[in-house]
Amino acid sequence: MRAADGTCDWRPEVPVRLYAGAADADVPIGNARSCAAGLTGHGGRVRLVNQGQVDHFGSFAVSAPQVVRYFDSVRR
């Protein structure tokens, strides 16, 4: 599966933020760390936002308002 996964094997042209919860058992934070490293390795500007000890849905609940605020800030 790893050989066929190119999800993070590219160079983003805009800054990227990845949001992850340290207690997420559905999508472990290691996936976000690996993706951030891959995108950065291709020259991307990536920030990983660790939401702390929240699970998958908790991570979404904490991240969603932050994502909106971030997009609002870069839109101006």
Side-chain angles (χ1 to χ4, degrees), residues 1-75:
M1 285 178 53
R2 184 172 291 173
D5 180 13
T7 304
C8 301
D9 190 18
W10 57 286
R11 182 183 185 273
E13 298 295 322
V14 298
V16 172
R17 286 193 181 184
L18 302 173
Y19 296 81
D24 189 337
D26 298 309
V27 182
I29 195 167
N31 290 19
R33 289 183 180 128
S34 177
C35 186
L39 294 172
T40 300
H42 288 285
R45 293 172 298 179
V46 182
R47 178 176 170 211
L48 172 60
V49 181
N50 182 342
Q51 300 294 20
Q53 293 300 318
V54 293
D55 64 11
H56 193 69
F57 293 104
S59 179
F60 171 76
V62 174
S63 300
Q66 294 174 19
V67 170
V68 171
R69 283 193 301 273
Y70 175 68
F71 279 128
D72 283 345
S73 75
V74 297
R75 185 179 61 172

